[in-house]
Amino acid sequence: MSTATASFQPKPSLPPPAATVGVVGWLRANLFSSWANAALTLLALYVLWKVIPPAIDWLITNAIWTGESTSDCKNPDETRKGGACWIYVQAWIPGYIYGLYPYDLRWRIDLAGVLSVLIMAPLFFKKMPYRATYGMIAIILVPIVAALLFNGWYDFAPSDPRASSHPWRTVETSKWGGMSLTLLIAWVGIGASLPIGIVLALGRRSKMPIVSALCVGFIELWRGVPLITVLFMSSVMLPLFLPEGVNFDKLMRALIGVTLFSAAYLAEVVRGGLQAIPRGQFEAASALGLNYPKSMALIVLPQALKIVIPGIVNSFIGLFKDTTLVAVIGMFDFLGAIQLGNADPKWLGYAVEGYVFAAILYFICCFSMSRYSLALERKLQTGHKR
Amino acid sequence: MSVAEKDHVKSTMTSEVAVQMVAVHKWYGEFHVLKDINLTVHRGERIVICGPSGSGKSTMIRCINRLEEHQKGQIIVEGTELTNDLKQIDAIRREVGMVFQHFNLFPHLTVLENCCLAPIWVRKMPRKDAEEIGMRYLTRVRIPEQAKKYPGQLSGGQQQRVAIARSLCMNPKVMLFDEPTSALDPEMIKEVLDVMIALAEEGMTMLCVTHEMGFAQKVANRVIFMDRGEIVEQNTPHEFFNNPQSDRTKLFLSQILRH
């Protein structure tokens, strides 16, 4: 060619066709893309219209919010009024929070709650120095402080008058209950099961056959047994095996059971994350001179745990709900307290309200965990796709 | 500076020995992957290793920093013999840098953090000093402006240059390159090779598995040809390309240089 080189002029970018953008475009693409789709959309709208307004009526509009006793929730002819009787739930809220804890000592639980918030509060400051270290200490500290306050200091003989009046007298764990107990069990279970789960996952992938076999055995054993069995075993059978005089607390045994059970599940979740990390990451870390603990702690685990955040939170939510199973060994957690309330002679016949309230509260807790995990995932996203 | 220039980078080879491999054998299960490898690398020497895939080139250089374990023979790096002693392995890895085909940057850390990690945690350097060194080497590979980005936001060529900088931050005595340009788009190969040439000019001891024959001609003191786990032929680049001795080498060269 004899002519000079042609200079390259890129074509200008054009806007997309109007029917594919905006509200109309979205409706067309997602709700009315075909006759079948349009029919399904209308059917769904009909079902929602049939379900949501009555639910709102019962929960809010027609509900009874003020009053003293069941008579406020009844028509003159002794039938129930059409809405929820929230005054029962209001009357029982202290019971839901504290369970059977002695009335005069409930301030100790309040104090534990306030202290927990204060201990955790500095973590909201992103710029805080040593935030990670402090976070780990705080997670261990909170349940210890709470348990100390729940338990109290002075163990008086039953004959001593102070055994029923002293502000710091001990309260046995069978009296603990309600939401405070649920939160305590969930906190300990979550806080302790994650590190144990990580160790089990690393152990299972170990090249040392004994370590790996022990971890596999442990995981499979705990995963293969229902939690309810674990709790029964811990409360009924374990004491039979322990020597005379050795006795450790029922709550402690339940905590250990819940923790190890959850750790076995978490181990498998974490192992999934470890398997997703390419070998090259470990090789690069080794080539730089990082030893096994350092390359795990700095390179492999941060990436692996990030990948399995959904799975970890899944396990945590499961654990949170499984805490209700401590009811079978005679502990009144939040759900147990709801059932106590339902059996209250003053409020007989309003169990539905109790259960609906329990459902709402559990949902709020679990949904916030789920949202938090999504936020965490977004925060840790570093724009890499491998 | 370009690969195409014919003049060879000035030799910096000395008589001191950096790496010595004596009668090294390795098996993967039943498969005999390295057969009687004898190799002496002098300080400041630059060796290019080539050969067909599966010939054991990568395995050989990965034995030098114990990413692969050899089962027979001796490997001595900077006066320390590689044994099962973990302390010695770590000591050798501190002195030997490695650059991988797929970069293997740590995606959860920024570019600068990638560079500072080993100096801080292995050399126990204060963070401030490590960051200073990190920035110095990022400047040398010509991407200081990317320091705060994550590897996933960089192009392949940039990532590989970060990987080189990351190795250099440990101030290694020997650098191993395992096909550093094979995973790159053609447009990005040159920027990586330029960095490697600059490194060669400074007298770095380099062992480089690559098929970039232009790079070999320009930089190498010695070209090694491997096939089926053996060193078939080794010579100066000029002799190697113009006067290959073995028919296997001739066949290989005719295949890679034909197009």
Side-chain angles (χ1 to χ4, degrees):
Chain A
M1 292 234 191
S2 57
T3 50
T5 353
S7 82
F8 169 67
Q9 288 291 342
K11 290 185 179 129
S13 303
L14 300 174
T20 61
V21 292
V23 180
V24 178
W26 185 87
L27 283 175
R28 249 198 214 185
N30 295 298
L31 298 180
F32 300 100
S33 58
S34 67
W35 282 112
N37 199 347
L40 281 176
T41 302
L42 294 175
L43 181 70
L45 285 176
Y46 176 74
V47 170
L48 290 178
W49 183 67
K50 276 305 213 191
V51 170
I52 290 182
I56 290 177
D57 278 350
W58 189 83
L59 284 170
I60 298 166
T61 331
N62 293 341
I64 294 98
W65 294 91
T66 51
E68 297 291 316
S69 67
T70 44
S71 56
D72 294 303
C73 295
K74 283 176 185 156
N75 294 316
D77 61 353
E78 288 291 298
T79 54
R80 283 195 55 153
K81 287 186 182 170
C85 183
W86 290 131
I87 50 176
Y88 153 53
V89 171
Q90 281 166 23
W92 258 87
I93 280 202
Y96 295 160
I97 298 175
Y98 307 109
L100 295 174
Y101 207 76
Y103 287 96
D104 61 321
L105 298 180
R106 289 184 173 178
W107 59 271
R108 287 199 334 217
I109 293 184
D110 298 339
L111 182 61
V114 171
L115 285 179
S116 306
V117 171
L118 286 181
I119 291 171
M120 296 306 284
L123 292 172
F124 286 98
F125 296 100
K126 295 231 159 55
K127 293 260 180 258
M128 181 193 164
Y130 302 106
R131 191 160 173 255
T133 320
Y134 181 81
M136 274 185 248
I137 294 171
I139 285 172
I140 300 170
L141 200 61
V142 163
I144 293 176
V145 168
L148 280 177
L149 283 168
F150 283 23
N151 191 56
W153 272 261
Y154 301 109
D155 197 3
F156 300 109
S159 54
D160 193 322
R162 287 175 299 175
S164 57
S165 65
H166 195 280
W168 291 107
R169 67 180 188 268
T170 50
V171 177
E172 54 189 276
T173 51
S174 57
K175 291 266 173 58
W176 303 8
M179 201 43 155
S180 49
L181 179 67
T182 294
L183 289 178
L184 182 69
I185 297 175
W187 193 292
V188 173
I190 288 173
S193 64
L194 184 59
I196 298 175
I198 292 173
V199 170
L200 284 173
L202 292 175
R204 184 164 188 168
R205 282 165 59 90
S206 165
K207 286 197 195 103
M208 291 177 270
I210 296 177
V211 172
S212 144
L214 279 176
C215 291
V216 172
F218 185 92
I219 292 169
E220 297 302 341
L221 180 75
W222 285 88
R223 278 203 311 174
V225 180
L227 180 56
I228 208 162
T229 316
V230 172
L231 291 173
F232 265 130
M233 294 269 283
S234 75
S235 84
V236 182
M237 291 189 57
L238 195 62
L240 300 179
F241 296 123
L242 290 174
E244 193 79 24
V246 176
N247 178 34
F248 65 111
D249 189 78
K250 186 156 81 172
L251 174 63
M252 186 57 98
R253 279 180 271 145
L255 279 178
I256 292 173
V258 167
T259 302
L260 295 183
F261 185 81
S262 162
Y265 276 89
L266 279 172
E268 288 299 278
V269 172
V270 172
R271 190 166 70 93
L274 291 173
Q275 275 171 349
I277 304 303
R279 217 173 110 88
Q281 291 290 308
F282 199 87
E283 286 179 353
S286 304
L288 284 168
L290 293 164
N291 56 19
Y292 177 85
K294 279 179 192 160
S295 55
M296 275 301 157
L298 297 168
I299 307 299
V300 179
L301 279 175
Q303 296 182 58
L305 293 179
K306 186 170 88 180
I307 296 174
V308 294
I309 286 175
I312 290 177
V313 174
N314 201 17
S315 294
F316 284 171
I317 289 177
L319 183 148
F320 185 75
K321 293 188 295 180
D322 282 350
T323 55
T324 52
L325 289 175
V326 298
V328 303
I329 55 168
M331 310 205 75
F332 294 100
D333 72 320
F334 178 56
L335 191 64
I338 297 260
Q339 283 167 326
L340 275 182
N342 291 345
D344 183 349
K346 275 195 288 182
W347 296 98
L348 280 180
Y350 292 89
V352 175
E353 278 82 348
Y355 286 125
V356 168
F357 182 69
I360 293 173
L361 226 76
Y362 275 112
F363 180 79
I364 290 174
C365 290
C366 296
F367 189 66
S368 7
M369 279 196 252
S370 147
R371 288 282 109 180
Y372 177 73
S373 90
L374 284 181
L376 199 61
E377 275 175 63
R378 260 197 305 279
K379 197 185 118 193
L380 296 177
Q381 179 67 32
T382 53
H384 70 277
K385 294 266 179 280
R386 28 174 68 250
Chain B
M1 177 81 53
S2 115
V3 190
E5 283 172 29
K6 278 284 168 276
D7 50 328
H8 192 271
V9 173
K10 185 169 65 80
S11 174
T12 54
M13 191 170 124
T14 64
S15 59
E16 299 150 77
V17 175
V19 179
Q20 188 155 34
M21 302 177 90
V22 183
V24 170
H25 290 259
K26 173 169 177 63
W27 289 262
Y28 284 130
E30 290 288 303
F31 180 56
H32 199 170
V33 57
L34 290 182
K35 300 172 186 164
D36 192 27
I37 300 288
N38 290 285
L39 177 68
T40 304
V41 184
H42 293 94
R43 284 208 187 128
E45 191 178 11
R46 304 180 293 261
I47 295 179
V48 163
I49 302 152
C50 59
S53 72
S55 58
K57 341 178 265 296
S58 291
T59 308
M60 184 177 86
I61 67 164
R62 286 159 62 90
C63 280
I64 295 173
N65 66 351
R66 197 61 159 202
L67 287 185
E68 304 286 352
E69 198 177 323
H70 61 285
Q71 281 109 14
K72 226 173 128 186
Q74 258 190 324
I75 301 179
I76 299 160
V77 183
E78 290 290 337
T80 313
E81 186 180 351
L82 269 172
T83 58
N84 282 325
D85 184 346
L86 286 176
K87 283 233 170 70
Q88 292 199 353
I89 293 174
D90 283 339
I92 285 171
R93 283 174 175 168
R94 282 197 289 272
E95 306 304 330
V96 178
M98 183 156 204
V99 174
F100 299 86
Q101 181 177 3
H102 296 288
F103 333 133
N104 295 355
L105 293 177
F106 305 132
H108 62 303
L109 301 175
T110 64
V111 163
L112 185 58
E113 286 166 346
N114 263 279
C115 292
C116 297
L117 186 91
I120 291 173
W121 291 94
V122 180
R123 294 249 189 255
K124 313 278 180 214
M125 202 180 273
R127 178 171 292 271
K128 220 171 138 240
D129 300 358
E131 284 182 354
E132 205 171 288
I133 287 175
M135 282 314 292
R136 192 189 310 152
Y137 283 108
L138 285 175
T139 311
R140 265 184 48 183
V141 300
R142 292 175 229 134
I143 36 174
E145 71 283 359
Q146 313 284 4
K148 298 279 174 238
K149 286 196 186 165
Y150 286 95
Q153 297 165 296
L154 305 187
S155 73
Q158 289 173 324
Q159 291 195 44
Q160 193 60 296
R161 284 186 282 152
V162 172
I164 295 173
R166 177 176 71 177
S167 293
L168 292 178
C169 284
M170 285 294 282
N171 197 16
K173 298 199 170 96
V174 179
M175 282 288 282
L176 309 174
F177 292 85
D178 189 1
E179 306 208 26
T181 56
S182 317
L184 295 176
D185 291 337
E187 281 176 322
M188 295 166 182
I189 290 177
K190 182 175 174 295
E191 63 187 55
V192 171
L193 290 181
D194 283 350
V195 167
M196 290 167 63
I197 291 166
L199 200 56
E201 282 168 341
E202 286 160 27
M204 177 62 78
T205 310
M206 293 163 74
L207 279 99
C208 190
V209 174
T210 183
H211 295 121
E212 295 296 330
M213 291 304 143
F215 174 78
Q217 278 172 329
K218 184 173 176 58
V219 167
N221 300 103
R222 185 159 35 136
V223 179
I224 290 178
F225 174 67
M226 287 183 73
D227 189 27
R228 301 184 189 206
E230 289 177 58
I231 294 182
V232 177
E233 185 166 346
Q234 44 182 321
N235 219 327
T236 61
H238 185 266
E239 283 296 303
F240 181 82
F241 290 111
N242 297 316
N243 189 17
Q245 303 296 308
S246 143
D247 53 345
R248 185 66 192 88
T249 316
K250 283 176 195 162
L251 177 66
F252 177 75
L253 286 175
S254 74
Q255 276 165 339
I256 64 163
L257 299 175
R258 193 163 44 196
H259 45 237

